[in-house]
Amino acid sequence: ATLRIIGTNNRVQMTLMALEGHYGTLTAFVITRVAPKVCHLVEFSIKPLSLHRLVPFDQAALDAAPVGTLRMSGAFTLGQMHAWVGACFPDVPPKLPEGESVRYMFESTFVGTLVTAEYSKGEAVFRGHNLSVLALIKDVVAKEASTAKAKVDVKSPLIDDGTVLH
């Protein structure tokens, strides 16, 4: 799509809605009006679970509703799993936190469901209220692990009655 600004306006603001599970890069070329003409390339990474935000870990909030669990194990490092979780969710710091394990909680800004990621070397556990989110995590991590030629075994998700199917 092309957006051309007519008149004396020199600013534009756009609001876009991403769909869960669809990801890629949004690329915009911004061309100045004055001479010399200059083109700026602006890129925005859209993550598969881009409608989630990092929130403080709250076990009581997670336990308040039925939860599905996805377990992964294999020959992967803590840094690899951290990168794979970062490929799924926004707000994951690029630098690996100190310690032997990492624990994050994310909240859907669209439906309000929660998902947690707890991982260490060779093991990862994802718990969430929404089975679609767990399926997306499984797909993205499997794809990233395949690219890195890392072996990852996915245990069948354990599902509590009432887990949300979106």
Side-chain angles (χ1 to χ4, degrees):
T2 302
L3 178 64
R4 183 179 297 261
I5 308 299
I6 307 291
T8 60
N9 292 334
N10 60 4
R11 262 180 214 270
V12 65
Q13 179 176 340
M14 296 175 67
T15 303
L16 305 171
M17 173 84 171
L19 299 174
E20 288 272 275
H22 296 272
Y23 56 97
T25 303
L26 175 65
T27 305
F29 296 95
V30 181
I31 302 172
T32 60
R33 184 177 294 188
V34 296
K37 295 280 188 188
V38 176
C39 179
H40 296 279
L41 171 65
V42 183
E43 294 183 326
F44 300 96
S45 177
I46 299 173
K47 310 276 176 128
L49 295 168
S50 61
L51 296 179
H52 283 73
R53 65 185 175 109
L54 188 62
V55 294
F57 200 92
D58 182 4
Q59 188 65 43
L62 184 66
D63 293 339
V67 174
T69 304
L70 175 67
R71 295 184 184 279
M72 298 181 177
S73 60
F76 54 84
T77 66
L78 180 62
Q80 284 176 312
M81 183 54 75
H82 185 73
W84 300 338
V85 170
C88 293
F89 294 97
D91 302 335
V92 174
K95 185 176 179 193
L96 183 64
E98 298 277 329
E100 303 215 0
S101 65
V102 178
R103 185 166 91 158
Y104 291 119
M105 179 175 273
F106 301 91
E107 178 184 35
S108 170
T109 59
F110 193 60
V111 293
T113 56
L114 297 172
V115 63
T116 63
E118 299 179 65
Y119 50 95
S120 58
K121 181 181 177 185
E123 186 175 357
V125 178
F126 299 91
R127 293 182 180 88
H129 298 146
N130 187 326
L131 292 179
S132 297
V133 170
L134 295 177
L136 283 169
I137 293 168
K138 178 183 151 284
D139 291 346
V140 171
V141 170
K143 180 181 172 193
E144 295 289 326
S146 177
T147 302
K149 294 184 171 60
K151 185 176 187 269
V152 176
D153 296 319
V154 179
K155 306 283 191 295
S156 296
L158 300 173
I159 304 167
D160 290 350
D161 291 338
T163 304
V164 180
L165 293 168
H166 286 293

